[in-house]
Amino acid sequence: MVTGDGAYIKKLNRNFILGKIVEHGMISRAELSKVTGLNKATISVQVAELLDTELIFETQQEHNVVGRRPIMLSLNRKVGCVLGIDLDYKEITYTLSDLLGFPLFSDTYELNSSNYDEIRELIANQIKSYQIKSADRRYGLVSVVIAIHGTVGKDETIFFIPQHQWRNKNLKADLEKDIEISVHIENNANLCAFAEKIFKHHHSDNLLCISMYSGIGLGIIMDGEVIKGYHGYAGEMGHMVLFPDGLPCKCGNKGCWELYASEASLFSLLSQKMNKKDIGYQDIQHWINTREPEVCEHMNRFIKHLSIGLNNIINLYNPETIVLNSELLHLYPNAIEEIKANLTSSVSQYRELVISDLGKNASIMGACAFGIKKFLEIPELSLELSDRLLPIETK
């Protein structure tokens, strides 16, 4: 039983009710009372206050039954916006979404520098431009969430970004000095896992999401909660050592998993082997389709090295759902079957292994969903996936 003063209990009830309204999309007061277990008087008071804040609105549901049409309650998605930012190595992606996660504007800008101050100023200016775009809404831009491809502490400070060689940067504090808005910093793999849970695998409380693009990151959800570890750095499985005397890594070790099983590592290797600069997914698709011998050989090694790391992770976490976020695996016929064939240990147990449908949008979708959940202060969030992705304009 939850105990506390009246204001605290009232806030808990408010958040619980609002969460159920979001979950159901449309729901009547009577049904709210049933699904929450709260009495009708409490529902009535809370709904009146939520209507006053314009966070929800009323509609009458169409039906063919004789009698009064029920009045339905829904979240007012148009009263505020959240901004998700994916800070990667060579580009920054911004997506402004409404309060149900539907994107309103999306842009990607190339990065030609790793200078911290330059990038901080660039991000600050873009946030200000999105504040202007959100100014006509009651709550305006309510939250900014930045996905970092590196280690982020529980206090949201950036410990290390290998690709940019940033160490101990407080981007949150530096941005909030110039901009009067809540800024959150989170590891991109955690946000990818969060997106998979919120948009796709709603009922999976034990989920692992492996992001395989510029490196390898692991987002861990256990018992419905994102696992961050003591300092917040849990999930850096890309730097799990596969080969003690292997290739040198920017982290300081040798033989790290991401040097053998990330998309960036395979692209770099095939660029050398095929003597072709700036290869893309279309090149690899062509080589796979034409069964180019050297490419097929390296793809087989890529699958093998990926499977070795997966076997270790499965033994550590015994997950329900494993999501591999990789565009490359979508190009490779029977990728999942070949990976499963390599997971032959009788000890390794999991329920399902899938390739993500969210792709490179997962991180920024997770960032937007994270911002929505923070703003609404609801205990659970579940959003629909359909019609979400907009074309991204490159600047």
Side-chain angles (χ1 to χ4, degrees):
M1 177 181 291
V2 178
T3 60
D5 62 32
Y8 176 67
I9 297 297
K10 185 177 181 180
K11 184 176 181 180
L12 286 180
N13 287 339
R14 176 260 189 205
N15 296 347
F16 188 35
I17 290 168
L18 185 56
K20 289 300 179 182
I21 293 173
V22 175
E23 178 185 342
H24 285 78
M26 295 178 65
I27 189 169
S28 68
R29 288 169 174 79
E31 188 63 22
L32 261 180
S33 182
K34 290 180 182 179
V35 299
T36 62
L38 298 171
N39 63 52
K40 292 182 179 179
T42 299
I43 295 294
S44 179
V45 170
Q46 291 284 354
V47 165
E49 292 188 5
L50 287 169
L51 286 169
D52 188 56
T53 64
E54 296 184 24
L55 281 176
I56 64 172
F57 66 96
E58 295 179 320
T59 55
Q60 283 194 312
Q61 188 177 39
E62 297 292 338
H63 70 155
N64 298 321
V65 179
V66 176
R68 185 178 178 182
R69 292 180 295 172
I71 296 176
M72 309 300 288
L73 304 169
S74 298
L75 181 75
N76 188 351
R77 58 198 275 188
K78 297 180 179 180
V79 293
C81 298
V82 296
L83 179 62
I85 303 175
D86 187 3
L87 174 56
D88 207 340
Y89 176 42
K90 295 183 179 180
E91 61 187 23
I92 306 179
T93 300
Y94 302 83
T95 291
L96 186 74
S97 83
D98 64 21
L99 295 184
L100 282 179
F102 286 86
L104 305 170
F105 300 96
S106 291
D107 299 289
T108 294
Y109 296 83
E110 292 183 0
L111 271 181
N112 298 312
S113 169
S114 286
N115 182 273
Y116 174 77
D117 291 324
E118 290 181 16
I119 293 176
R120 176 198 55 76
E121 184 177 358
L122 176 65
I123 292 174
N125 290 335
Q126 283 301 115
I127 291 174
K128 291 174 184 176
S129 73
Y130 282 109
Q131 282 182 305
I132 294 171
K133 289 180 178 180
S134 309
D136 60 340
R137 298 173 185 246
R138 172 163 177 169
Y139 295 100
L141 183 60
V142 301
S143 183
V144 175
V145 181
I146 304 177
I148 299 296
H149 294 243
T151 47
V152 178
K154 286 184 175 179
D155 60 357
E156 300 186 58
T157 58
I158 297 170
F159 177 66
F160 182 46
I161 300 181
Q163 300 283 9
H164 288 297
Q165 287 295 296
W166 290 1
R167 297 179 186 272
N168 301 314
K169 299 295 185 182
N170 196 339
L171 183 59
K172 173 184 172 71
D174 291 340
L175 288 172
E176 289 180 342
K177 287 177 185 176
D178 301 325
I179 304 169
E180 294 182 3
I181 192 170
S182 173
V183 176
H184 298 284
I185 309 294
E186 184 56 89
N187 171 266
N188 77 297
N190 288 344
L191 290 174
C192 286
F194 190 70
E196 294 292 345
K197 167 73 173 169
I198 298 301
F199 290 104
K200 186 74 175 177
H201 304 278
H202 304 301
H203 302 296
S204 182
D205 285 337
N206 294 278
L207 179 147
L208 302 179
C209 180
I210 296 97
S211 299
M212 300 171 54
Y213 295 103
S214 55
I216 290 182
L218 174 67
I220 309 163
I221 294 178
M222 289 287 136
D223 297 325
E225 299 293 332
V226 176
I227 302 300
K228 296 187 177 183
Y230 178 64
H231 291 104
Y233 308 149
E236 289 298 321
M237 298 302 290
H239 299 286
M240 170 177 59
V241 175
L242 256 61
F243 303 104
D245 298 315
L247 299 170
C249 182
K250 290 182 179 180
C251 77
N253 282 328
K254 291 182 178 181
C256 291
W257 188 28
E258 68 178 39
L259 300 178
Y260 301 88
S262 68
E263 289 195 357
S265 67
L266 185 64
F267 273 61
S268 177
L269 179 63
L270 290 181
S271 181
Q272 296 175 24
K273 297 295 183 181
M274 303 302 290
N275 194 28
K276 179 178 173 62
K277 292 182 179 180
D278 300 321
I279 65 170
Y281 293 110
Q282 290 183 340
D283 297 308
I284 294 181
Q285 180 74 83
H286 171 71
W287 290 327
I288 290 173
N289 290 343
T290 58
R291 302 196 61 79
E292 205 291 326
E294 189 156 21
V295 172
C296 290
E297 179 186 347
H298 287 295
M299 281 297 302
N300 288 333
R301 289 182 186 177
F302 177 80
I303 293 291
K304 180 180 179 181
H305 292 149
L306 173 60
S307 303
I308 293 171
L310 281 178
N311 185 78
N312 294 339
I313 292 172
I314 292 167
N315 285 339
L316 281 171
Y317 294 105
N318 180 215
E320 176 185 3
T321 304
I322 307 167
V323 182
L324 302 176
N325 196 320
S326 166
E327 296 295 321
L328 189 59
L329 292 179
H330 276 295
L331 306 180
Y332 193 66
N334 304 317
I336 289 296
E337 288 73 15
E338 290 196 20
I339 294 168
K340 286 180 178 179
N342 288 322
L343 302 176
T344 57
S345 171
S346 59
V347 177
S348 301
Q349 298 296 318
Y350 61 94
R351 187 176 69 82
E352 62 174 344
L353 174 65
V354 298
I355 302 173
S356 174
D357 292 327
L358 307 185
K360 290 185 176 181
N361 291 289
S363 180
I364 208 156
M365 290 173 70
C368 291
F370 186 88
I372 292 168
K373 189 171 184 292
K374 283 284 186 181
F375 172 66
L376 297 179
E377 299 181 288
I378 56 179
E380 299 289 339
L381 180 64
S382 179
L383 299 173
E384 293 298 320
L385 181 60
S386 59
D387 300 325
R388 292 216 167 257
L389 306 182
L390 291 181
I392 293 178
E393 180 181 353
T394 301
K395 302 291 185 180

